[in-house]
Amino acid sequence: MKQRVLSGIRATGKLHLGNYLGAVKGMIELQNNPNYECFYMVADAHTITTPFDPSSLRQNQREIIIEYLAIGLNPEKSTLFIQSRVPEHFELAFYLSSVVSIARMQHLPTYKEKVKQYPESNTMALLNYPVLMAADILVYKANLVPVGIDQEPHLEVAREIVRKLNQIYGTDLPEPRRFTTLGHYVPSLKGEGKMSKSVEGSYINLTDSLEEIRRKIRSIPTAMVAGGPIIGGIKTLFLLAKLFLSETNYQKFKEDYHRGRLQFVTIKDTLAEAIYQELRPIQERVKQLKKNQSYVDKVIENGCQKARVVAQATLSEIKKKMGFL
Ligand code: TYM
């Protein structure tokens, strides 16, 4: 039997390099492995856990689907869908919340960070974020979840929920594991913390032009001279170089750095060009797909239907075990 895979990205706008390297690359790898059956969604309901703009939510849902397709997610191989159109996720999330303590949720580092960032929006939806995420995964009985390392605390919550459910109600849900990629942690261009949509100046969008990429890469803070410890912005620069340049080029730049003869602008412009070369075909496909909205509609419609069939089956299995049916 094929193992199941589930992943998702919030509908906060365009994808950035962190999403691409930490999540979508892993999603593609698993899609192209015949041992897996993949479900990939736009986590639009998770978008409302922090302040959001209702007038752009619908457009952002589509934007993510279009970028998924442009990067290479194939609706013939993977089920692509929108979370809010499969309401079984929400029903299951409520049942799951009965085995999770409030204290456990309040202690999660991801929750604390968001509360700090948006003190006015400390809502039930935010507290419930990991429970809904567990429901997303469990409703497909997914074994593997391709996500960045920042999501590990949420996967731990999902595993705890699975263990409790299996123990209390005799369900046979698998404990989901993270599927990791080389880019599982993409640092911020500011040299501190991770690349994140909510931090201006920290990210490169997949749809950025060569000029934008060059400007952003040039803005990575580096030392006056090469040769010191590889920390902060220099660490970011070399990590991105490792992911986008050939091994030979990467090693050459590193050697130049240690010998104190690296010109930062040279590595930066080489890197910007390499990133753009990888993104250019994706950008071309985004343009094409935007001209073919009816195809995108069809993909979404078919995906939501397929996802619902699986989600409904798991939900009724769990409801029976819990005594509802
Ligand atoms: P979101 O939109 O915050 O992030 C989407 C994916 O991108 C990864 N990511 C990164 N990876 C490496 N380096 C970075 N700087 C970086 N920034 C973001 C995230 O790890 C994530 O994989 N909670 C999820 C959405 C979700 C979900 C799910 C995922 C909702 N339900 C069920 C998997 C399964 C999230 O973080 O979205």
Side-chain angles (χ1 to χ4, degrees), residues 6-12 15-24 27 41-43 46 64 83 89 114 129 132-137 145-152 154-155 178 181 183-188 193-197:
L6 179 286
S7 192
I9 294 184
R10 286 175 306 142
T12 46
L15 298 188
H16 59 66
L17 275 188
N19 303 137
Y20 174 63
L21 298 165
V24 189
M27 289 156 75
M41 62 174 191
V42 178
H46 277 102
I64 306 285
Q83 182 190 30
H89 291 227
K114 290 289 181 207
Y129 186 117
L132 178 58
M133 182 162 159
D136 298 334
I137 299 168
V145 183
V147 281
I149 202 163
D150 59 317
Q151 295 302 303
E152 191 56 40
H154 294 157
L155 283 184
R178 186 167 60 89
T181 59
H184 64 104
Y185 179 86
V186 179
S188 159
K194 66 166 183 163
M195 185 174 284
S196 163
K197 202 52 190 256

Side-chain angles (χ1 to χ4, degrees), residues 62 65-66 69-70 73-76 80 285 288-302:
R62 290 182 79 78
I65 293 283
I66 287 176
L69 291 168
L73 290 187
N74 178 350
E76 305 289 320
L80 306 180
R285 286 193 291 270
Q288 293 305 322
L289 286 157
K290 286 197 168 162
K291 286 188 208 147
N292 199 350
Q293 297 287 351
S294 60
Y295 170 72
V296 179
D297 283 338
K298 196 124 275 129
V299 167
I300 296 174
E301 205 181 300
N302 289 344

Side-chain angles (χ1 to χ4, degrees), residues 4 8 10 32 34 48 69 71 87 94 98 115 128 137 157 181 184 187 190 199 204 233 252 279 288:
R4 292 249 182 87
R10 286 175 306 142
N32 294 333
I48 72 163
L69 291 168
I71 296 167
F94 186 76
S98 67
V115 171
N128 209 41
I137 299 168
V157 170
T181 59
H184 64 104
K190 296 179 126 183
V199 181
I204 290 175
K252 187 188 152 297
L279 300 187
Q288 293 305 322

Side-chain angles (χ1 to χ4, degrees), residues 190-192 220-223 228-238 257 264:
K190 296 179 126 183
E192 223 178 85
I220 297 175
T222 40
I230 297 191
I231 50 170
I234 302 173
K235 195 168 168 193
T236 302
L237 195 58
F238 276 107
Y257 179 79
F264 283 110

Side-chain angles (χ1 to χ4, degrees), residues 112-156:
K112 288 182 184 162
E113 267 163 40
K114 290 289 181 207
V115 171
K116 218 164 151 189
Q117 206 175 349
Y118 305 104
E120 306 291 308
S121 305
N122 188 0
T123 62
M124 283 303 295
L126 182 63
L127 190 65
N128 209 41
Y129 186 117
V131 180
L132 178 58
M133 182 162 159
D136 298 334
I137 299 168
L138 304 198
V139 90
Y140 300 95
K141 296 191 177 179
N143 310 82
L144 270 186
V145 183
V147 281
I149 202 163
D150 59 317
Q151 295 302 303
E152 191 56 40
H154 294 157
L155 283 184
E156 189 50 43

